[in-house]
Amino acid sequence: MKKVFKKSLALVLGLSLIAGSLAACSKETPASTSAETSVEASVSEETSASAEEVTEPAAEEKEQTLVVGYDNFSSKFSPFFAQTAYDQDVASLASVSLLSSDREGNVVLKGIEGETIPYNGTDYFYNGIADCTVTQNDDGTVVYDFQLRDDIKFSDGTPLTADDAIFSMYVLSDPAYDGSSTFYAQPIVGMEEYRAGMDTLFNLLSAAGRDNTDFTNWDEATQTAFWADVDQAGEKFVQEIVDYCVAAGYNTADQPIGTITATWGFGADDDATLLDVFNIMVENYGGDLVALSDTESAGSSLFDLMNDYNAYTVAVSTGESAPNISGIEKTGDYSLKITMNKFDAVAIYQVGVTVAPLHYYGDASLYDYANNSFGFKKGDLSIVKDKTTKPLGAGPYKFVSYENGVVSFEANENYWKGEPKIKHLQLKETPASDKITGVASGTFDVTDPTMNLAALDSIKSYNSNGEIIGDVIETNLVDNLGYGYLGIAASNVKVGSDKASAESKALRKAFATLFAAYRDTVINSYYGEMATVIQYPISNTSWAAPKPADEGYKLAYSVDADGNSIYTDSMTEEDKEAAALAAAVTFFKAAGFTYDEATGTFTAAPEGARMTYEVIIPGGGTGDHPAYGILTAAKEALATIGITLEINDPADSNILWDALDADTADMWAAAWGATVDPDMYQIYHSDNYMAGTTSNHYAIQDSQLDELIMAARVSADQSYRKATYKQCLDIILDWACEIPTYQRQNAIIFSTQRVNMDTVTPDITTYWGWMNDIELLEMK
C-alpha cells in the first residue's frame, strides 16, 4: 500500500527549451498537484482610491497582465535545484541558456547570427546567446567550443560573461550538488578527478552509523545532532505513512501504530512507537536513508522533514581531489570550451546549461579562475541554495514574488530580444477541473487542461461555432512527449527458466497480439481525436520514430506464429479481433501449451508458465484508464480458449509501482515520458534490470540490443542512429514485452477575447511551446 512518488524517467536537460509544462509536460509524469482556490485575474492596481481620486489612463497606457492557470508549485525556482516541471518554468522565464532548440527539438548551434530552419513548409529564424562548434578528434575526444554574445545583460543590468557560464557549470559539477541535473555525469575530461576525494557530510555520517567513534571528518557533537535530526524526521516520516493508511481507509486511527504500518510492509509490536517503526525501516534498508526516503515516502522526503538537512549537504575532503575540471576551459571573456573523453549523442543537451549570474547565486569575491576558485567554496553550495526561492537571470521576465499560490513577474527591460510587450505575468495555481471554465470566465488567459472527450465538449460548448477554435477559446493541440503502453515482464511471463527462448517469446506474443487487436476501437472511444494508435514503442514526436512510408514499417503484432499476416484491408473490426484470437492460439501452441482440439481450449501450461496471469492497471479502482477497455476485451477473448487474465485495478496506483520495483508484476498498463533524444539505454539496456535503477521493468536482457543501443549512443550520424534504433525497436517487439498503445495530445487553450492570437508564436510543437517568443505576445 506504499505511497511512492515516482519520478519521470526523462532526462533533465541542461538545454532550456522554454517550452514549459503547459506545452510539453507529460500528464503521466507524476507532479505535485492539489486543489487551490483560483484567484480572479485583474490588472494590478497600485493603490486603492475612490473614483473621484483616480484618473483612468488611456487604454494604450495600461500595464496589462497575462494570467496563466498552473498546477501547484514547490517553491524551488532555482535553475540548479528546480524539480517539478512547473518550478522549471518559473526558473526558465527568468533565465537564458547557452543553447536553444528549434520546433523539432534540434539544437541551434549558430545562435549569434541565427539559423533559418524550415518546419511544416515555413522557414523560421532561430537565434540565441551563443555559438557552439563541435569537433570530434581522431583520438576520440570531442570539443565543444562556445562563443557568447558580448551584449547580454542579466535583468539587474550586470553583463553576462563566460565567467557566469563557468560558475554555473561548476555548481552542477560540485561533489555536494544534489539537484536533478546530470551534467556531472557527462564524460568531461577531469570531471571524475575533480569530484573524487570528497563526499557530503550526510553520506559520510549515514555510512558511519550511530556508533561511529572515528571523528576525523567531524566531531561527536555533529554526529549526535545529525542522528537526533534524522530521528525526529523519521518520526514525522512514519506519521505520514500512518496518516495515509488511515485516510485511504486501509486502517483505522485507533489501531496500534505497528498494525497500521504493517499495511505498508513494516509491522511492529502493538506498543511500538513511530521511532521504533522508523528504525525497523532503516534496518530493512541496510541503513540506506536515501533509498528508504525515495521508496517509502507517503508524501514528504525524509530530508525535507529534517530541521537542518542543508547543514549536512556540505562536502568534506576524504582524499585527493583535483582543483579544477581540466575539460572546462575559459578561452576568453566571452568564450569557453568543454572537452569530453568520448562522443555521447545526448551530451549536446547537457552542455547548453542555464547561465546563472555569478554575482547573485555565488560570491564574486570567491571567483578567481586562474587560481581555481569558482564563486563558492568547493563542497559547499549553501550560498547557491539560499537563492532557490528567488530566481534571477537574463530571461524575458523578472521574478517578483510567490504569494498565495501566485508567481508574479515583471517584464525584463534588459532582455536581449527586447522588453516583453506585456508588462506583467502571473502564474496562478488552480485545480485541473477549473482550467477550462477559468479561461471561459476570464480568470485565466492561458492554461493547459487535461484533454479527453469531455474536455473537448466543454471547450466547444463555450464557442458559438461549437468548435475547439472559436470566439471564446482557441485550442492548440500538440503531441505529448511520451506514449502509453502495456508492459509484460519477461521475468514472470516465460516458459521454463529461459525468458529469451522462442517459447517464452511466443507466450508473450499470444497476449500482445490480442491486446494490439483492440487498440483502435478502445483508444478512439476513450480519446476520440485526442490520440492515435502507435505501432512502435517510441513517441511519434521523435525523429527516430518509424514512419508508415519507411521500409520495414508494419503494424505491431500483426502476424501469427508462422510469420503469416493476420489482417487484410477488407476486414471489419470483428474480423480483426477473430483473426487476432486465432493467431494467439498459434502462439500459445508454439509456447508449449496443451490444446484440446475438440473443445478449442487450452488445458495445461508448460513448465514455468501458467494458465492464469494478472495485469495491473492504474484506473483508480473504477476502470478510468485508456487501456482498460483493451484488457477487458482481451480477458473475454482469452476465456474462450481457456486462458484466464485477471485485471487488478487498485484504488491506490502505487500497488503497481511497488510491483514493478519488486519485479513481481506479470503485466501492467502505464505511460512513458520521452526525451528530446531517443536514447534507449535507461529503459531497455540489460544493465538497468534489477541493478539499482529498476528502470528496465520488462526484464529484457539481450546482448544484441545492448550493442545496438550503445552504438547509436556514440554516433553523431542521425541517419545511422535512426536505422539502428529501428533495429532496436524490432528486437523489443520480438521480445513482446511492450505493446505500444497510444500517442495522445496535450492542449494549450487561449482566451481569444483577451489574447491577441496573431502574436502567439506560430506552429507550436512538442518542443516549441507557447512561451517561446513570449516577448512578442500581446493582449487585446
Side-chain angles (χ1 to χ4, degrees):
M1 303 296 180
K2 298 171 187 173
K3 179 70 171 179
V4 183
F5 286 82
K6 295 293 172 186
K7 294 183 178 180
S8 166
L9 293 177
L11 177 70
V12 178
L13 303 180
L15 173 64
S16 175
L17 303 180
I18 317 218
S21 63
L22 292 186
C25 179
S26 168
K27 294 299 181 184
E28 287 85 359
T29 302
S32 173
T33 55
S34 64
E36 293 284 346
T37 302
S38 60
V39 184
E40 187 67 20
S42 64
V43 175
S44 62
E45 297 177 347
E46 298 298 327
T47 59
S48 176
S50 66
E52 290 78 15
E53 296 172 320
V54 177
T55 300
E56 184 72 6
E60 63 272 14
E61 296 175 355
K62 287 184 178 180
E63 292 187 347
Q64 295 174 310
T65 300
L66 180 73
V67 183
V68 186
Y70 250 78
D71 286 14
N72 284 23
F73 301 103
S74 300
S75 299
K76 294 183 178 180
F77 304 139
S78 166
F80 303 111
F81 298 105
Q83 293 182 341
T84 70
Y86 317 113
D87 285 3
Q88 289 273 10
D89 284 352
V90 175
S92 294
L93 282 164
S95 306
V96 294
S97 296
L98 281 177
L99 299 175
S100 59
S101 69
D102 66 12
R103 283 169 169 78
E104 292 185 317
N106 300 307
V107 176
V108 177
L109 296 177
K110 299 298 181 183
I112 296 179
E113 292 186 3
E115 299 182 45
T116 298
I117 303 172
Y119 176 79
N120 200 24
T122 302
D123 286 340
Y124 288 106
F125 178 76
Y126 302 90
N127 59 354
I129 71 166
D131 288 346
C132 179
T133 301
V134 183
T135 304
Q136 292 184 257
N137 300 314
D138 293 339
D139 63 358
T141 60
V142 183
V143 178
Y144 299 82
D145 277 297
F146 288 94
Q147 179 64 51
L148 281 65
R149 289 176 56 135
D150 60 7
D151 59 349
I152 306 297
K153 294 181 179 180
F154 292 108
S155 61
D156 62 0
T158 304
L160 183 156
T161 71
D163 291 328
D164 297 293
I166 289 172
F167 159 75
S168 300
M169 292 178 182
Y170 269 89
V171 170
L172 298 174
S173 305
D174 195 77
Y177 178 73
D178 57 356
S180 55
S181 169
T182 55
F183 178 82
Y184 62 83
Q186 302 309 303
I188 299 173
V189 174
M191 179 67 78
E192 290 185 7
E193 292 82 355
Y194 179 75
R195 289 172 57 83
M198 295 190 80
D199 202 351
T200 63
L201 197 54
F202 180 92
N203 289 341
L204 293 171
L205 284 163
S206 298
R210 299 173 185 267
D211 300 325
N212 169 66
T213 58
D214 179 2
F215 299 109
T216 302
N217 294 315
W218 59 85
D219 56 31
E220 187 172 4
T222 298
Q223 179 171 297
T224 301
F226 171 77
W227 286 109
D229 200 0
V230 170
D231 287 346
Q232 67 81 28
E235 290 179 321
K236 296 175 183 176
F237 190 80
V238 175
Q239 184 64 58
E240 286 191 356
I241 293 173
V242 171
D243 292 343
Y244 176 83
C245 289
V246 172
Y250 302 130
N251 299 92
T252 59
D254 58 351
Q255 290 179 305
I257 290 172
T259 300
I260 297 175
T261 56
T263 304
W264 202 266
F266 298 94
D269 295 337
D270 287 350
D271 60 351
T273 65
L274 295 170
L275 185 57
D276 290 334
V277 174
F278 178 67
N279 286 330
I280 291 172
M281 297 173 73
V282 172
E283 183 178 358
N284 185 269
Y285 274 84
D288 189 341
L289 299 178
V290 175
L292 188 157
S293 178
D294 286 348
T295 307
E296 305 298 341
S297 172
S300 301
S301 161
L302 175 67
F303 317 123
D304 288 340
L305 297 173
M306 292 178 66
N307 294 323
D308 201 13
Y309 170 69
N310 283 339
Y312 306 106
T313 60
V314 176
V316 297
S317 178
T318 58
E320 293 186 5
S321 180
N324 60 41
I325 304 168
S326 57
I328 298 178
E329 301 175 72
K330 179 180 177 180
T331 56
D333 290 342
Y334 294 94
S335 61
L336 66 146
K337 70 176 181 179
I338 299 175
T339 303
M340 296 197 182
N341 292 308
K342 61 181 180 180
F343 179 82
D344 190 318
V346 302
I348 190 65
Y349 298 104
Q350 292 284 350
V351 297
V353 300
T354 298
V355 182
L358 159 65
H359 71 279
Y360 179 74
Y361 285 100
D363 183 342
S365 69
L366 294 178
Y367 188 87
D368 184 350
Y369 176 82
N371 291 299
N372 301 317
S373 184
F374 303 102
F376 57 94
K377 181 181 177 182
K378 183 179 179 181
D380 185 356
L381 296 179
S382 57
I383 187 174
V384 181
K385 291 185 175 182
D386 286 345
K387 308 297 195 312
T388 293
T389 60
K390 296 181 179 180
L392 187 146
Y397 279 90
K398 298 184 292 186
F399 175 85
V400 175
S401 65
Y402 173 47
E403 298 175 349
N404 302 317
V406 181
V407 180
S408 298
F409 295 90
E410 287 183 357
N412 175 13
E413 64 274 18
N414 291 311
Y415 185 47
W416 68 280
K417 284 188 174 183
E419 181 178 358
K421 296 184 177 182
I422 299 175
K423 182 67 174 178
H424 301 284
L425 171 64
Q426 293 182 346
L427 310 183
K428 293 190 175 184
E429 296 174 341
T430 186
S433 58
D434 290 346
K435 288 185 175 180
I436 295 175
T437 56
V439 171
S441 65
T443 301
F444 308 121
D445 302 312
V446 188
T447 194
D448 63 333
T450 300
M451 294 306 293
N452 51 37
L453 291 176
L456 282 175
D457 290 340
S458 178
I459 292 171
K460 292 175 181 178
S461 71
Y462 287 113
N463 289 327
S464 60
N465 62 1
E467 302 294 337
I468 62 173
I469 297 177
D471 53 356
V472 176
I473 296 175
E474 178 161 330
T475 307
N476 192 293
L477 301 176
V478 294
D479 281 342
N480 180 57
L481 188 58
Y483 64 95
Y485 72 94
L486 289 167
I488 303 177
S491 53
N492 300 320
V493 183
K494 62 184 178 181
V495 176
S497 59
D498 184 4
K499 61 186 177 183
S501 69
E503 291 78 11
S504 291
K505 290 179 179 179
L507 170 57
R508 296 190 293 270
K509 287 176 182 176
F511 288 103
T513 302
L514 263 183
F515 292 158
Y518 295 102
R519 295 176 302 166
D520 287 330
T521 301
V522 173
I523 297 304
N524 182 65
S525 175
Y526 190 91
Y527 277 120
E529 60 192 275
M530 295 299 301
T532 56
V533 171
I534 58 175
Q535 306 303 331
Y536 289 88
I538 186 172
S539 173
N540 278 347
T541 61
S542 175
W543 52 261
K547 303 297 189 291
D550 291 349
E551 183 179 355
Y553 182 94
K554 61 183 179 181
L555 300 180
Y557 305 108
S558 58
V559 299
D560 62 17
D562 295 321
N564 302 311
S565 296
I566 61 177
Y567 302 128
T568 63
D569 293 339
S570 62
M571 282 184 171
T572 65
E573 287 302 318
E574 290 184 356
D575 292 338
K576 291 180 179 178
E577 291 163 8
L581 181 60
V585 169
T586 68
F587 282 117
F588 279 120
K589 288 181 178 179
F593 280 68
T594 302
Y595 188 68
D596 185 336
E597 296 287 350
T599 62
T601 61
F602 291 96
T603 58
E607 181 181 356
R610 309 191 302 270
M611 296 293 288
T612 299
Y613 287 92
E614 179 190 63
V615 57
I616 307 176
I617 183 167
T622 63
D624 185 14
H625 190 283
Y628 192 78
I630 295 174
L631 299 180
T632 55
K635 177 180 180 177
E636 293 179 5
L638 288 165
T640 66
I641 58 173
I643 304 295
T644 300
L645 179 67
E646 296 179 343
I647 301 175
N648 181 2
D649 178 15
D652 180 7
S653 63
N654 291 289
I655 289 176
L656 167 58
W657 313 131
D658 291 344
L660 291 178
D661 285 344
D663 196 28
T664 58
D666 293 335
M667 309 175 196
W668 68 93
W672 283 119
T675 63
V676 176
D677 189 90
D679 179 40
M680 297 180 177
Y681 177 80
Q682 191 172 12
I683 300 175
Y684 303 109
H685 196 280
S686 299
D687 286 352
N688 293 318
Y689 171 60
M690 299 303 289
T693 65
T694 65
S695 53
N696 181 354
H697 298 306
Y698 309 111
I700 295 176
Q701 292 180 292
D702 189 297
S703 59
Q704 182 185 4
L705 177 61
D706 292 343
E707 291 176 6
L708 290 169
I709 288 173
M710 299 311 295
R713 208 177 197 195
V714 298
S715 173
D717 185 338
Q718 190 175 96
S719 297
Y720 168 78
R721 294 185 74 205
K722 181 172 181 176
T724 302
Y725 282 135
K726 175 59 167 60
Q727 295 179 66
C728 292
L729 294 170
D730 287 340
I731 292 173
I732 294 165
L733 290 174
D734 183 57
W735 271 74
C737 287
E738 185 174 353
I739 302 89
T741 51
Y742 63 89
Q743 170 77 61
R744 67 170 179 79
Q745 292 184 306
N746 292 326
I748 309 299
I749 61 174
F750 300 87
S751 167
T752 53
Q753 297 178 332
R754 294 181 301 282
V755 177
N756 181 351
M757 295 306 299
D758 291 336
T759 64
V760 175
T761 188
D763 272 334
I764 293 173
T765 71
T766 304
Y767 306 105
W768 184 263
W770 71 274
M771 287 185 184
N772 283 283
D773 297 332
I774 196 171
E775 73 279 1
L776 303 178
L777 189 64
E778 297 179 12
M779 309 274 300
K780 288 185 176 179

